[in-house]
Amino acid sequence: NAGVTQTPKFQVLKTGQSMTLQCAQDMNHEYMSWYRQDPGMGLRLIHYSVGAGITDQGEVPNGYNVSRSTTEDFPLRLLSAAPSQTSVYFCASSLTATNTGELFFGEGSRLTVL
Amino acid sequence: AQKITQTQPGMFVQEKEAVTLDCTYDTSDPSYGLFWYKQPSSGEMIFLIYQGSYDQQNATEGRYSLNFQKARKSANLVISASQLGDSAMYFCAMRAFRTGANNLFFGTGTRLTVIP
């Protein structure tokens, strides 16, 4: 069972560079999301999707872009990296947005922006 | 708006003892779910237990139980018979199904250390 797969696990960027964090799930989940985790702040929602072709902003969307062309994939793009985007990023999915089941998380991607 | 509060930044417990991690929440949505996740030092998020707002009984999963007090808006996690492997960060989270289902709101976490 692959579950939710994120790549890369570690990345170092220079300010201004762009990159894409990949996320894929093999559970046929409709809902997918990206969170960032910063010390002392818990996890905060960046963007989410409730199905292919449908995305929306979360709490902290600035500086990030997403797309959902397939049910399986939900990449997160950093358009022009800034040191404030240094964080651990988690992709998560669930069957739907309203089901009572758990959110399944990827293993996380640690991003450092210099 | 939804809010989760975890007031214990760190907790210590003796091995084999029970420990309670506090969580209070705030929402005006009558339909919501409460979750607890464990994050060991390796970084992954591990789902522990779920409680629905309409569930009549407190949720239990093995050594984990959720002390759900709806009137007080609290959802404390109880870990019985603590083990060294329980040392980790623990996050309480809430999903409001009618007004904010697309976001799982997290607290700031409690770091649990189990002492041998």
Side-chain angles (χ1 to χ4, degrees):
Chain A
N1 286 343
V4 179
T5 304
Q6 285 180 239
T7 56
K9 287 186 168 48
F10 300 94
Q11 183 72 50
V12 179
L13 290 177
K14 294 182 180 178
T15 297
Q17 287 184 319
S18 63
M19 77 156 299
T20 299
L21 296 175
Q22 302 289 346
C23 176
Q25 52 89 12
D26 61 359
M27 297 174 283
N28 203 29
H29 284 173
E30 289 184 0
Y31 175 84
M32 295 186 74
S33 55
W34 278 100
Y35 285 83
R36 60 178 287 174
Q37 183 179 21
D38 301 297
M41 299 189 74
L43 280 75
R44 293 178 295 167
L45 181 67
I46 304 171
H47 284 285
Y48 67 91
S49 169
V50 297
I54 307 169
T55 63
D56 207 343
Q57 297 179 351
E59 296 175 75
V60 288
N62 292 341
Y64 306 96
N65 202 0
V66 292
S67 60
R68 184 98 178 267
S69 56
T70 67
T71 299
E72 294 79 19
D73 300 300
F74 190 46
L76 178 73
R77 296 181 186 84
L78 279 70
L79 307 172
S80 177
S84 62
Q85 293 178 303
T86 293
S87 188
V88 179
Y89 292 85
F90 286 96
C91 180
S93 73
S94 65
L95 192 59
T96 67
T98 55
N99 79 308
T100 57
E102 68 187 270
L103 209 58
F104 292 81
F105 283 85
E107 293 184 344
S109 300
R110 184 175 294 276
L111 175 66
T112 302
V113 183
L114 303 175
Chain B
Q2 280 68 241
K3 188 176 180 182
I4 291 281
T5 303
Q6 294 180 255
T7 56
Q8 306 156 314
M11 289 282 287
F12 292 88
V13 65
Q14 205 75 37
E15 193 178 6
K16 299 181 185 177
E17 297 292 314
V19 63
T20 298
L21 306 183
D22 294 342
C23 172
T24 58
Y25 60 91
D26 190 22
T27 181
S28 56
D29 195 323
S31 178
Y32 53 89
L34 296 155
F35 302 77
W36 277 92
Y37 282 85
K38 172 184 178 181
Q39 187 178 42
S41 57
S42 51
E44 71 269 31
M45 297 290 286
I46 302 168
F47 168 74
L48 296 178
I49 196 165
Y50 168 82
Q51 179 83 43
S53 58
Y54 294 119
D55 293 343
Q56 295 297 314
Q57 294 187 328
N58 287 346
T60 61
E61 289 286 348
R63 294 185 300 110
Y64 304 108
S65 61
L66 201 152
N67 185 0
F68 181 46
Q69 298 188 42
K70 197 170 182 177
R72 293 186 176 185
K73 294 191 174 180
S74 75
N76 299 339
L77 177 71
V78 180
I79 305 175
S80 63
S82 296
Q83 302 171 354
L84 295 178
D86 294 334
S87 292
M89 281 289 289
Y90 288 81
F91 290 96
C92 179
M94 177 179 67
R95 203 172 196 177
F97 293 117
R98 295 185 191 175
T99 58
N102 293 309
N103 194 355
L104 190 61
F105 285 89
F106 284 82
T108 52
T110 297
R111 181 171 299 282
L112 177 67
T113 303
V114 181
I115 304 167

